[in-house]
Amino acid sequence: MGISPLDFQQNQRARLRSVLIALLALLIYSGFGVQHGCLWATSSVPYYNYLADAFLHGQLSLRLTPPTIHDLVLYKGQLFLYWPPLPAVLLMPFVFFFGVGFSDIVFTLLCAAANVLVVGLLLRQTVRVGLVSLTGLQQDLLVLFFALGTVHLTLAPYGRVWATGQLLGFLCVALAYLAAVSLSGRRAFFWTGLALAAAFLTRNHLLFTGLWPAVYLVRAHLPEGRKRLVGYSLVGLLPVVLAIGLLGIYNLARFGSMWETGLDYHLMAERFVEDYRAYGPFHLHYVPENLYYQYIAYPFLQPDRVFEGGSLFLLSPVFLAAFWGLALGRPRWVAWGLAGTVLLVNIPILLLMGTGWIQFGPRYTLDFTVPLLLLTAMGVRCWPTYVLIGLTTISICHYMLGTQLVGYVYG
């Protein structure tokens, strides 16, 4: 049965609203960027540009030395990046035409605006397929909340290698979820797997975000029989396996080991050296500090450490609806699957050395914001609209001020 003209018009209007919110977000992100610098210049840390230049010249180490080498890998007298290389690969055409001076700020801004658009489309599609029950106003408020009331806002305007990687990784994850709930059959598995492979090649642990889409796709295709489901699953796994293999070969070519990313050789801030020597990059030793700066600390009450992070739920209180979603959301397997995915992605974040300084808000939590936002959407239906409006306003005020403060540091 085809879609009715009324439903078609409603869908078109919903898509238009998503586009308009994304354009509004791009305008605001650009406003912050212009206020604290030039959008057409590079940021102070455009490392992906330099890696793209290296790839274009047939080498894996940097051919040119960036203005600063902080956080780069120094191995046998050559400079490398320890981050996975997909952002640099995507930047290669721009660096080919414009050189390493191409604005990573503009590239990051476009990634951020695309994130807002895809989040809008994802929320509306989950409503269409019955996973979430929201009014049009609630959908728009959640998209606006994501765009301006989460740590996404602080990462969008200023470029820099860390923000570029996180925002592109988020985009890949959001596209994976959108593919899972929008497509069916072999196409759904392939495009979801491809997007997750891209996320892995941007930030390795983002592969864990694939838990929920994998569960969703398997349940949605169970009626087609075990044989066909196995075939679909292999199609979805293929890009992921290839991505893992490619990254292993990349590491082997650089450092002589498929498992070595360069972390042991990276030029970290002095404040991390002692802990790294004692505990390495991932350890239970880091959990208390990470818990505090990602879930408890309120940065405005500790001005001397305002750029260490901040409580996810105090700064973005709309996310409190996720607890309603977990307790009351239907279907139950959707709610528990989303919560499990959030927890799984959070494990390496809590074990990681450092909280992501310099930042405002818990920037590493962006890595699980897609499943968290869907769980939040499941809980928002239990709230009066005025509560959602009020908490969205509080969230936006927090991050508008925080982004301004970060701009003064970067500017």
Side-chain angles (χ1 to χ4, degrees), residues 47 49-66 72-81 250 253-255:
Y47 293 158
N49 287 19
Y50 286 81
L51 184 58
D53 169 81
F55 289 163
L56 288 168
H57 287 83
Q59 63 186 67
L60 303 180
S61 62
L62 299 191
R63 187 180 69 97
L64 304 173
T65 302
L72 286 176
V73 173
L74 181 61
Y75 179 74
K76 293 185 177 181
Q78 296 178 309
L79 292 172
F80 301 86
L81 276 65
Y250 178 63
R254 296 186 302 164
F255 306 120

Side-chain angles (χ1 to χ4, degrees), residues 27-349:
L27 183 63
I28 292 173
Y29 298 159
S30 301
F32 278 110
V34 167
Q35 187 176 0
H36 296 285
C38 174
L39 295 185
W40 306 112
T42 59
S43 71
S44 58
V45 195
Y47 293 158
Y48 287 125
N49 287 19
Y50 286 81
L51 184 58
D53 169 81
F55 289 163
L56 288 168
H57 287 83
Q59 63 186 67
L60 303 180
S61 62
L62 299 191
R63 187 180 69 97
L64 304 173
T65 302
T68 175
I69 59 173
H70 168 68
D71 227 17
L72 286 176
V73 173
L74 181 61
Y75 179 74
K76 293 185 177 181
Q78 296 178 309
L79 292 172
F80 301 86
L81 276 65
Y82 65 81
W83 303 278
L86 183 62
V89 173
L90 297 180
L91 277 163
M92 285 173 65
F94 303 102
V95 173
F96 176 81
F97 286 107
F98 304 107
V100 294
F102 172 74
S103 175
D104 63 314
I105 296 175
V106 168
F107 182 80
T108 305
L109 283 169
L110 293 176
C111 286
N115 286 342
V116 177
L117 176 60
V118 175
V119 163
L121 297 176
L122 175 61
L123 283 174
R124 301 187 201 291
Q125 182 61 23
T126 55
V127 171
R128 281 191 65 195
V129 299
L131 293 175
V132 175
S133 178
L134 296 172
T135 66
L137 177 59
Q138 288 172 325
Q139 294 171 47
D140 293 341
L141 286 170
L142 279 177
V143 178
L144 193 64
F145 157 70
F146 164 74
L148 303 177
T150 70
V151 74
H152 187 269
L153 174 59
T154 69
L155 295 171
Y158 307 122
R160 298 164 62 92
V161 64
W162 305 284
T164 303
Q166 275 209 268
L167 293 174
L168 181 60
F170 180 96
L171 179 59
C172 295
V173 172
L175 287 172
Y177 278 60
L178 183 60
V181 299
S182 301
L183 304 174
S184 61
R186 188 178 291 107
R187 288 198 310 150
F189 282 80
F190 174 75
W191 288 109
T192 301
L194 184 63
L196 288 172
F200 171 79
L201 290 174
T202 305
R203 291 173 64 78
N204 293 159
H205 65 281
L206 290 181
L207 190 59
F208 296 144
T209 62
L211 173 63
W212 186 83
V215 171
Y216 176 81
L217 287 173
V218 168
R219 286 187 64 102
H221 292 83
L222 273 176
E224 298 190 32
R226 181 178 299 178
K227 183 177 180 180
R228 183 165 290 185
L229 183 58
V230 170
Y232 289 162
S233 299
L234 291 176
V235 168
L237 284 172
L238 179 61
V240 174
V241 172
L242 287 176
I244 293 172
L246 286 172
L247 188 63
I249 294 169
Y250 178 63
N251 290 335
L252 182 66
R254 296 186 302 164
F255 306 120
S257 169
M258 296 183 69
W259 317 111
E260 177 59 65
T261 62
L263 277 174
D264 285 344
Y265 310 102
H266 90 283
L267 303 171
M268 67 189 74
E270 188 64 31
R271 64 198 289 255
F272 297 127
V273 172
E274 185 177 345
D275 275 350
Y276 190 88
R277 289 173 178 168
Y279 305 106
F282 297 95
H283 197 277
L284 288 171
H285 170 77
Y286 306 123
V287 171
E289 182 181 42
N290 286 330
L291 280 173
Y292 178 74
Y293 282 109
Q294 291 175 26
Y295 295 104
I296 299 172
Y298 187 66
F300 296 117
L301 296 181
Q302 45 182 30
D304 57 325
R305 306 199 73 176
V306 70
F307 298 120
E308 293 281 0
S311 168
L312 174 68
F313 297 108
L314 291 179
L315 293 177
S316 298
V318 174
F319 280 138
L320 291 170
F323 295 105
W324 273 259
L326 180 59
L328 303 173
R330 298 289 187 276
R332 298 301 298 143
W333 68 269
V334 172
W336 283 104
L338 291 169
T341 304
V342 170
L343 291 175
L344 183 62
V345 180
N346 202 29
I347 290 172
I349 293 172

